[in-house]
């Protein structure tokens, strides 16, 4: 436990760890693929590809020297761990993002607005027996004013 300094054996029934999502070694970062309910049942053999998936693909023909000449280890300090040249990332070199569907976003905004209005009308009718109407012109003016008011709130 990094907060208290207490050390637990992973097989200990009193170990407070609920889940171990990844394991960092001096050679790689491994994702846990095991569907277990307690840390004491986890196999820590990161060579077993059914239990652990490496972040970088291994190529044992080269050493762990970075392009800058340093030796790569898991560094918990502020310096970022450089990627060893023999480890390839499994992530695509260029990520593809789709442009947002603005028509769909507008449709969702209209549905939300109508639902909020309906719920306000229902609430006011139950509380006060009052009829609620919304002024469209005032609503548009407030909507245009809202970004300015938010900017003023963040500057003060």
């Amino acid at each position: 436990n990094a907060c208290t300094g207490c050390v637990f054996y992973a097989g200990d029934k009193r170990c407070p760890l609920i889940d171990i999502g990844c394991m960092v070694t001096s050679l790689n970062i491994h994702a846990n693929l095991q569907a277990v309910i307690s840390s004491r049942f986890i196999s820590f053999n990161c060579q077993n590809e059914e239990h652990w998936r490496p972040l970088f693909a291994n190529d044992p023909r080269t050493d762990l020297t970075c392009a800058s000449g340093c030796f790569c280890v898991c560094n918990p300090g502020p310096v970022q761990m450089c990627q060893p040249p023999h480890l390839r990332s499994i992530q695509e070199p260029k990520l593809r993002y789709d442009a947002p569907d603005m028509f769909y976003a507008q449709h969702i905004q209209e549905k939300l607005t109508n639902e909020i209005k309906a719920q306000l009308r229902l609430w006011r009718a139950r509380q006060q027996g009052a009829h609620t109407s919304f002024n469209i012109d005032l609503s548009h003016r407030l909507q245009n004013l809202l970004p300015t008011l938010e900017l003023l709130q963040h500057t003060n």
Side-chain angles (χ1 to χ4, degrees), residues 64-151:
L64 281 175
T65 306
C66 293
S68 62
C70 66
F71 185 74
C72 287
V73 296
C74 176
N75 185 352
V79 178
Q80 183 178 0
M81 181 176 138
C82 55
Q83 177 181 339
H86 79 280
L87 297 178
R88 293 183 296 108
S89 174
I90 59 173
Q91 179 175 311
E92 294 294 325
K94 184 170 176 113
L95 298 178
R96 185 180 69 87
Y97 293 100
D98 295 328
D101 185 347
M102 298 309 287
F103 293 113
Y104 184 64
Q106 176 128 13
H107 173 70
I108 291 173
Q109 181 178 357
E110 289 171 4
K111 280 180 68 174
L112 282 171
T113 301
N114 291 336
E115 183 64 24
I116 290 169
K117 287 179 181 179
Q119 292 299 320
L120 278 172
R121 285 185 181 113
L122 184 64
W123 176 74
R124 286 197 37 148
R126 285 184 190 155
Q127 295 293 320
Q128 304 166 356
H131 173 73
T132 304
S133 61
F134 295 92
N135 185 324
I136 303 275
D137 183 49
L138 181 60
S139 176
H140 287 300
R141 287 193 295 181
L142 287 173
Q143 203 170 34
N144 292 335
L145 184 62
L146 186 60
T148 305
L149 294 173
E150 287 176 344
L151 182 63

Side-chain angles (χ1 to χ4, degrees), residues 1 4 6-10 12-19 39:
N1 185 334
T4 64
C6 294
V7 177
F8 296 92
Y9 174 67
D12 187 351
K13 291 180 182 180
R14 296 174 300 145
C15 180
L17 290 175
I18 296 171
D19 185 27
S39 63

